[in-house]
Amino acid sequence: MKQGSIWTRDLAPSCSRLGYVEPIHAAERRRRLLRLAPWLALSLLLLWGWDAWLRSERAAIDALAQTDHAEALRRAAVLIGVGVGSAVAFAAATCIGAMLVALRALRAGRWPPADARVWRRTRVIGGACLRVRFGLVLLLAPAAAAFLVHTGAQLVGWAWNTYADARADAASDPRAPATTQRNDP
């Protein structure tokens, strides 16, 4: 067995006993990428729509804060709730996905599973090495989800505080032009 650097050689010899899975053909690789393109376009459209909605909602809250403070606070709370809810949903989906992959590998007793299609030649691992790797995934996935929720909530709070500080600075700026309030009948 040829020994390479520490980054390329296996530190646990039991990881490489089960052979290799050969890669899929280039034609199928292109077909898979083409099937992925609509999902990528849909996710970009979703992000663009999210950004447009967020900007319009913040503008509506600004306009509403001039007349009805209670309604502006309610809409701001809803906006923050949507942001934190999105962070929680993303973290939960990521955690559940990682745990399902780990459970599938542990049930099969090998990774990648026998019916797997891989992009490059992949070594099949099994035994104690598999149990350690995917046991760590099962243990750390909920911790990673909690970290993502915590970080997402902090980012939403930071964005809202930055926005509120900018609004307060703009309102207290003596050089800002005075706005007249119009009451339509």
Side-chain angles (χ1 to χ4, degrees):
M1 181 174 167
K2 182 179 169 186
Q3 295 290 324
S5 73
I6 192 168
W7 306 110
T8 59
R9 95 176 154 243
D10 249 344
L11 297 179
S14 64
C15 292
S16 61
R17 288 190 186 157
L18 301 175
Y20 291 91
V21 175
E22 294 302 322
I24 60 176
H25 295 290
E28 185 167 346
R29 209 177 293 161
R30 281 190 294 277
R31 279 194 303 268
R32 285 183 178 217
L33 285 174
L34 285 175
R35 280 185 268 168
L36 185 65
W39 290 104
L40 181 62
L42 183 66
S43 63
L44 288 175
L45 274 172
L46 185 67
L47 285 174
W48 176 77
W50 174 266
D51 182 53
W53 176 79
L54 186 62
R55 287 175 192 266
S56 69
E57 190 65 22
R58 285 173 61 172
I61 290 171
D62 276 349
L64 199 56
Q66 303 295 327
T67 58
D68 188 4
H69 291 292
E71 182 64 19
L73 284 174
R74 188 193 68 74
R75 285 183 72 175
V78 167
L79 186 64
I80 291 171
V82 167
V84 172
S86 299
V88 168
F90 176 75
T94 304
C95 174
I96 290 169
M99 292 176 80
L100 288 175
V101 168
L103 288 172
R104 180 177 175 214
L106 289 172
R107 262 187 261 126
R110 58 178 272 166
W111 183 259
D115 61 344
R117 305 185 123 216
V118 295
W119 291 73
R120 62 185 179 96
R121 189 170 193 233
T122 305
R123 182 179 24 244
V124 177
I125 62 169
C129 186
L130 175 84
R131 287 188 294 276
V132 168
R133 286 183 187 183
F134 287 101
L136 285 174
V137 169
L138 287 173
L139 289 175
L140 295 179
F147 174 76
L148 283 173
V149 168
H150 175 71
T151 304
Q154 280 186 334
L155 285 174
V156 167
W158 171 77
W160 183 258
N161 286 338
T162 303
Y163 170 70
D165 288 346
R167 288 287 301 148
D169 288 345
S172 65
D173 189 9
R175 295 174 290 153
T179 58
T180 58
Q181 185 174 351
R182 235 175 53 173
N183 291 332
D184 291 334

